[in-house]
Amino acid sequence: SVRSPLNDPLDLLEVPADVPAEERAIQQTVRDVLADHARPVIADCFENHRFPRELVPRLGELGVLGMHLDGYGCAGSSALAYGLACMELEAVDSGLRSFVSVQGSLSMFSLHRFGSEEQKQEWLPQLAKGAAIGCFGLTEPDAGSDPSGIRTRAERRGGDWVLRGSKTWITNGGIADVATVWATTEDGVRGFVVPRGTPGFVTRDITGKLSLRASVTSELFFDDVRLPDSAVLPGAKGLRAPLTCLDEARFGIVFGAVGAARDALQAALAYADSRVQFGRPVSGFQLTQRKLAGMTVELSTALLLALHLARLKDADRLRPEQISAGKLHNVRTAVEIARESRTILGGNGISGEYSPLRHANNLESVLTYEGTEEVHTLVVGAALTGLQSFR
Ligand code: FAD
């Protein structure tokens, strides 16, 4: 007998069946809540360049903000559960996953790992609830892939600090209640906790984006911003500190990319089944099946890789070059799947009514942020050869 069509391409190889019941239940809950509250609004948000901020408290209730952190109102779940949540968020839109990555893995993680007890008590519970929003400012107009070139400077003035400089391409910047800001000091790079409203600190949103339109991306400006000594992250010394935070966020991207690709491919499968040309569904043509089969195999491979890295992370054995390999492979694969899925939708594929091109456009940002494809290639190259080829 002919099996009924699979509506989830990942079911073909039954990869998700390997996920333990507890994590599957968390994933399903996230998927269901997003189906009710995020899916109905996301295409409109993308079209209107609007972040669905009204969903933030709901994400807090769901427990996905700072999900893999312990204490301070955070869920303390496994890396695997966090990854699967990212997958469901990005299956809706990379902008939503970006929000959660920046809130949990950059803003909250930087406070959790490097902050003082007072900083943690003040910010983590409200960030976990979604009662406050955080951002993470490392990139500057003249320092992207090479963060050692940052020019934002913090200098001692009496017992205080004075912060001067600017940041750009900062996710959540314009809506953040608190910013983790990285600056050079006489002791090297240090992190500062800068609340919104601090005199001299202003933000300006970046408009006209063709990617991640359902996400806020901003510039931050610091004009002689006076901060108390208690604003310094005491545990963060040197550039290694922000890079450790970025590793956390990249891990979520390894899973998130699989979600975006899965959603694009599901749209292509459904469309190919219902669209009739030359008297038959386009899913019956060999060239379409070649695309669908190839994408399904690639998607399953990407999920297997993500699950493997989650096991390493939960065993506390995940190394930065392994995260680079995962980000490199899965985002590249996801971009290809989203673009190819779009071709199966023909002309309708360029309409905002369907998700593949939105995902493909979003994934252009994902390919670039948190370390570009090229930089991660060089990280893997350096691990293999022992030779750094960055400079
Ligand atoms: P550049 O570093 O100028 O790179 C340009 C090109 O040169 C790239 O192709 C790059 O791969 C290549 N290149 C650079 N160096 C090398 C090399 N050694 N060898 C080979 N090729 C090289 N930053 C934050 O701090 N916080 C955020 O929240 C944040 N959110 C972002 C959101 C969005 C939507 C985007 C687009 C960016 C965000 N970023 C954020 C910034 C992001 O991390 C940077 O864009 C990224 O690090 C690349 O830097 P750049 O854009 O300056 O590109």
Side-chain angles (χ1 to χ4, degrees):
S1 69
V2 179
R3 286 188 54 187
S4 63
L6 298 168
N7 63 14
D8 184 347
L10 287 171
D11 285 345
L12 182 78
L13 297 182
E14 298 182 20
V15 182
D18 267 355
V19 173
E22 186 182 339
E23 273 83 3
R24 278 164 72 103
I26 294 172
Q27 180 184 10
Q28 191 61 50
T29 305
V30 175
R31 189 187 289 206
D32 291 345
V33 169
L34 295 175
D36 288 345
H37 300 282
R39 280 201 180 268
V41 298
I42 201 65
D44 180 70
C45 286
F46 186 91
E47 184 171 351
N48 292 306
H49 217 314
R50 181 181 86 80
F51 170 67
R53 190 178 178 164
E54 66 280 7
L55 295 179
V56 174
R58 200 172 289 281
L59 295 174
E61 251 170 59
L62 246 183
V64 298
L65 305 177
M67 179 172 181
H68 58 312
L69 304 177
D70 285 316
Y72 307 95
C74 304
S77 43
S78 63
L80 176 57
Y82 171 59
L84 293 167
C86 287
M87 191 167 135
E88 296 309 320
L89 287 155
E90 196 145 357
V92 179
D93 193 271
S94 304
L96 270 189
R97 201 269 311 137
S98 297
F99 171 81
V100 169
S101 290
V102 169
Q103 178 93 347
S105 287
L106 294 180
S107 165
M108 293 174 71
F109 180 85
S110 64
L111 292 157
H112 195 271
R113 173 67 65 93
F114 302 114
S116 66
E117 193 50 39
E118 294 71 38
Q119 289 166 340
K120 292 183 205 189
Q121 300 276 3
E122 180 177 3
W123 290 109
L124 288 176
Q126 20 172 0
L127 289 163
K129 269 194 284 203
I133 292 176
C135 72
F136 179 95
L138 179 62
T139 304
E140 298 184 0
D142 295 322
S145 297
D146 179 10
S148 69
I150 61 171
R151 292 199 200 140
T152 296
R153 179 89 185 152
E155 282 174 359
R156 288 264 183 204
R157 184 99 39 99
D160 291 348
W161 290 88
V162 173
L163 188 64
R164 195 174 304 139
S166 68
K167 300 286 174 184
T168 191
W169 291 112
I170 306 306
T171 304
N172 299 349
I175 53 171
D177 300 287
V178 62
T180 296
V181 180
W182 301 95
T184 61
T185 72
E186 56 185 18
D187 295 329
V189 171
R190 304 295 309 264
F192 293 84
V193 180
V194 187
R196 167 173 294 284
T198 307
F201 169 34
V202 294
T203 66
R204 182 169 64 203
D205 290 347
I206 296 173
T207 55
K209 288 182 296 172
L210 304 177
S211 172
L212 282 192
R213 289 174 60 84
S215 168
V216 174
T217 321
S218 318
E219 297 170 281
L220 314 181
F221 302 96
F222 308 95
D223 182 12
D224 283 344
V225 175
R226 208 170 179 108
L227 297 168
D229 201 31
S230 59
V232 186
L233 290 173
K237 295 194 174 121
L239 208 49
R240 191 62 238 158
L243 298 183
T244 304
C245 302
L246 291 167
D247 275 338
E248 286 296 307
R250 282 169 195 146
F251 170 78
I253 292 175
V254 173
F255 274 85
V258 176
R262 183 193 76 203
D263 190 69
L265 181 47
Q266 277 176 331
L269 271 167
Y271 189 89
D273 189 39
S274 63
R275 174 71 175 169
V276 174
Q277 288 293 285
F278 300 97
R280 59 199 288 209
V282 297
S283 59
F285 297 122
Q286 289 183 348
L287 291 176
T288 310
Q289 290 194 3
R290 179 184 172 156
K291 290 179 186 176
L292 294 170
M295 289 191 284
T296 296
V297 173
E298 289 303 319
L299 183 66
S300 301
T301 310
L303 180 59
L304 281 165
L305 175 53
L307 294 175
H308 173 67
L309 295 185
R311 277 189 281 270
L312 290 179
K313 187 163 169 59
D314 277 324
D316 226 0
R317 281 170 45 211
L318 186 60
R319 297 197 307 271
E321 64 270 23
Q322 295 171 328
I323 303 180
S324 287
K327 191 205 176 225
L328 185 63
H329 178 271
N330 283 11
V331 181
R332 190 156 63 194
T333 299
V335 172
E336 284 164 8
I337 290 177
R339 286 183 191 148
E340 187 137 279
S341 294
R342 202 290 304 159
T343 67
I344 292 178
L345 277 73
N348 281 329
I350 73 153
S351 157
E353 206 182 309
Y354 297 95
S355 69
L357 187 58
R358 174 166 53 80
H359 286 306
N361 277 6
N362 283 338
L363 287 163
E364 293 295 333
S365 289
V366 183
L367 203 56
T368 287
Y369 70 21
E370 305 271 357
T372 65
E373 183 178 10
E374 293 76 15
V375 165
H376 287 298
T377 302
L378 298 184
V379 171
V380 174
L384 291 173
T385 62
L387 300 172
Q388 291 271 356
S389 61
F390 292 99
R391 330 186 157 266

